[in-house]
Amino acid sequence: MDLSELIRRYRGPLVGLIASWGTPWADAAEIAQDSFAEAWLHREACRGDWTQPDIFGAWLRGVARNQHRNWIRARRRRERIVKFDSPAVEQAVAATDPEGSDRIERLRQAIQRLPANQRQAVLMHYLEETSVKDVASLLSVSPKTVEGRLYQARRALFRMLGNEPPASLIGTVLTCL
């Protein structure tokens, strides 16, 4: 299996997984890219046959977790050095946020309140339209487990949103995350 095939298969789920850890979407994509580079350069260090998709997916998740931890440490260092108290900075950040309705904001908040495993499944599956099989491979669980998590997440979102169907909003809100 070559690098382009691995990226094609795991990019969406990996970005969704990293975003489910509370990382902004653009940063999650960058961390995923760094994770692929690190995993590819050190693929011989993988325990097991890295050419097997399930083994590589689980190993890639561990590499991504380490890259995410490094990103958090670097972010904390930067925050100690640079304080963003300026109103101009706040306005610039607010201008980059997509304009959303109250319904989208409620759905966003509801997704954040989901249990971690359900939030991961929702972000990985719906954001990049990743197959359940690929999500399962990256999370090292069965496809039925991913389907169950998605089902439970949809039910929980339905209740949190006051019986408003979340399915019509999920695609919209995830593009705004």
Side-chain angles (χ1 to χ4, degrees):
M1 189 172 282
D2 66 343
L3 179 60
S4 60
E5 174 64 23
L6 293 170
I7 291 173
R8 186 196 61 73
R9 182 173 186 162
Y10 291 116
R11 184 192 179 283
L14 189 63
V15 172
L17 176 65
I18 296 167
S20 75
W21 294 336
T23 308
W25 202 255
D27 292 331
E30 186 175 331
I31 293 168
Q33 181 177 350
D34 292 346
S35 299
F36 277 111
E38 185 73 17
W40 185 255
L41 290 174
H42 298 99
R43 63 190 177 272
E44 298 304 325
C46 176
R47 292 185 194 141
D49 184 6
W50 67 268
T51 60
Q52 297 298 317
D54 293 341
I55 292 172
F56 187 81
W59 187 60
L60 180 62
R61 183 182 64 228
V63 171
R65 186 176 299 122
N66 290 335
Q67 291 291 325
H68 182 257
R69 287 179 187 144
N70 293 341
W71 175 82
I72 288 173
R73 283 187 211 110
R75 183 176 173 197
R76 286 182 189 144
R77 283 191 301 270
R78 283 190 309 271
E79 286 174 353
R80 277 182 282 185
I81 296 169
V82 180
K83 297 292 182 195
F84 294 106
D85 293 333
S86 166
V89 171
E90 289 178 19
Q91 289 174 355
V93 170
T96 61
D97 282 345
E99 188 172 322
S101 68
D102 291 335
R103 288 175 25 169
I104 291 175
E105 186 57 35
R106 284 190 5 246
L107 180 59
R108 238 186 237 158
Q109 291 171 357
I111 290 172
Q112 291 306 315
R113 288 193 315 258
L114 288 172
N117 60 358
Q118 291 176 10
R119 186 174 56 249
Q120 286 175 346
V122 165
L123 292 174
M124 293 171 75
H125 179 67
Y126 289 111
L127 183 71
E128 293 289 331
E129 297 179 356
T130 305
S131 72
V132 169
K133 180 181 174 188
D134 288 345
V135 172
S137 175
L138 195 58
L139 292 177
S140 297
V141 296
S142 72
K144 284 294 183 187
T145 300
V146 173
E147 290 173 1
R149 289 176 183 176
L150 290 170
Y151 174 76
Q152 292 298 325
R154 286 190 302 267
R155 286 187 58 192
L157 290 172
F158 186 74
R159 286 189 306 270
M160 284 186 236
L161 296 172
N163 296 334
E164 181 180 342
S168 62
L169 290 175
I170 285 179
T172 304
V173 77
L174 290 177
T175 61
C176 297
L177 286 175

